Amino acid sequence: MFRPWLRRRHLHLSHPDLRALSVFMAEGAYRPDFLDPSPMTSEPTFEEGMDALLGAPADQTYAELVDATRGRGADMCRLLDDPERARSEAADALRRLWTAVVEPEWVGMRQALRAELLDRAIQVNREGLRSVLPRLHPSAACEDDMVTVEKPVDIDVDCPEGLILVPSLFITDRVQCTTSDQWAPAIYYPASGRYLWAAPPTPRSLHRLLGATRARILAALTTPLQTTAVAGLVNVTAPTASEHLAVLRDAGLVDCSRAGRTAMYELTEAGRTLLAAASPPP
């Protein structure tokens, strides 16, 4: 699913020096929490995240580097000689990565994340966190007043100021937990709208039945989306997307719910049945 994005950015990705960051990305190794400060708002900016990263206390930086370098060899252990420098160089590499390959694509990424946030907020409001949490990933569960995530390390964390759920377009097969004492605990989970990297395939039979644009919209709504997200995904203007959505809604294939001034569209049972019937068997 990353191929369209990587094809667009691969030349830029080959130039930045990212070693100060990639040194922490070994398979199965602990990655310092200071690299993933918990967001303070629903749409934190990159600069706010960098300020939090660089503002992590020295004792936190050192302790997390100790965990990250344990059993990793002498070259990694040299990071402990100057933890502030190791953090600063990792931040510089992160900024180069952002500038080269993420920032140019951020408008589309932000759109996908906004759709995800609104979708989950509606689900939690309707069904409660206990029902929604296992859908984020099978390893997550909620019972009574405790949230559990299956991990190889046992850590108990109090959440007096709440737990932050953070959708990610880059995590695909797991959840990642931030448990630092410096920030509110956070769970990073795979965003369900990841197909916004590229439009989902549409059964050809639906093209003949509904027309190409409406068929593509129906296929896109396997994840609930806002009008602007639908428009961007099928390459039409927002008013045009709104007209097509109205037709699909009148036909009983799409339902619309509102959170304030924002409209969220999702498939009805009839819409899901039609899409499943038109899709070829795997």
Side-chain angles (χ1 to χ4, degrees), residues 1-273:
M1 70 181 171
F2 294 107
R3 286 176 184 169
W5 168 58
L6 291 175
R7 276 198 298 266
R8 291 191 297 270
R9 309 309 307 173
H10 77 281
L11 292 178
H12 303 274
L13 186 60
S14 62
H15 296 304
D17 183 357
L18 305 177
R19 287 174 294 180
L21 183 63
S22 60
V23 70
F24 297 112
M25 305 303 164
E27 182 70 26
Y30 166 72
R31 187 170 70 199
D33 278 350
F34 67 74
L35 292 174
D36 294 300
S38 300
M40 302 301 293
T41 66
S42 61
E43 287 200 29
T45 66
F46 176 76
E47 294 302 331
E48 288 170 344
M50 290 294 288
D51 288 344
L53 189 164
L54 293 170
D59 57 346
Q60 175 195 356
T61 301
Y62 180 78
E64 292 178 359
L65 284 175
V66 169
D67 288 340
T69 57
R70 186 174 289 117
R72 296 283 306 280
D75 288 343
M76 281 291 291
C77 289
R78 290 194 187 98
L79 298 176
L80 299 176
D81 296 339
D82 193 344
E84 295 292 325
R85 179 179 177 181
R87 182 183 61 184
S88 177
E89 290 180 348
D92 289 342
L94 185 60
R95 182 178 295 280
R96 289 192 289 271
L97 180 63
W98 162 264
T99 302
V101 298
V102 179
E103 187 177 24
E105 307 277 339
W106 181 238
V107 172
M109 294 181 186
R110 181 173 58 190
Q111 176 176 279
L113 293 171
R114 282 174 172 169
E116 168 72 20
L117 287 170
L118 187 56
D119 177 27
R120 296 301 182 184
I122 291 173
Q123 290 180 12
V124 170
N125 185 57
R126 288 176 179 171
E127 308 168 47
L129 180 63
R130 186 174 302 164
S131 297
V132 174
L133 195 65
R135 295 184 211 157
L136 305 184
H137 192 268
S139 66
C142 180
E143 184 175 352
D144 297 328
D145 60 350
M146 179 177 295
V147 172
T148 60
V149 178
E150 294 181 11
K151 287 287 186 180
V153 179
D154 289 330
I155 301 176
D156 293 328
V157 180
D158 292 327
C159 305
E161 298 181 5
L163 173 69
I164 302 174
L165 301 178
V166 186
S168 171
L169 293 171
F170 299 101
I171 297 175
T172 61
D173 59 351
R174 67 189 189 284
V175 295
Q176 174 183 319
C177 300
T178 295
T179 57
S180 169
D181 293 336
Q182 307 300 324
W183 300 302
I187 296 176
Y188 294 75
Y189 69 91
S192 60
R194 293 194 305 272
Y195 65 65
L196 287 175
W197 292 102
T202 308
R204 290 188 177 182
S205 57
L206 280 186
H207 282 236
R208 297 193 295 270
L209 178 66
L210 302 175
T213 301
R214 288 174 195 163
R216 291 167 64 199
I217 289 175
L218 200 71
L221 288 177
T222 50
T223 291
L225 296 171
Q226 303 170 53
T227 305
T228 53
V230 171
L233 191 58
V234 302
N235 296 317
V236 298
T237 65
T240 299
S242 184
E243 291 176 6
H244 286 298
L245 286 164
V247 172
L248 293 170
R249 184 181 59 197
D250 291 344
L253 301 176
V254 166
D255 195 13
C256 177
S257 58
R258 289 190 174 273
R261 299 174 60 185
T262 302
M264 175 69 76
Y265 291 88
E266 58 185 313
L267 295 178
T268 62
E269 186 62 36
R272 287 190 288 271
T273 300

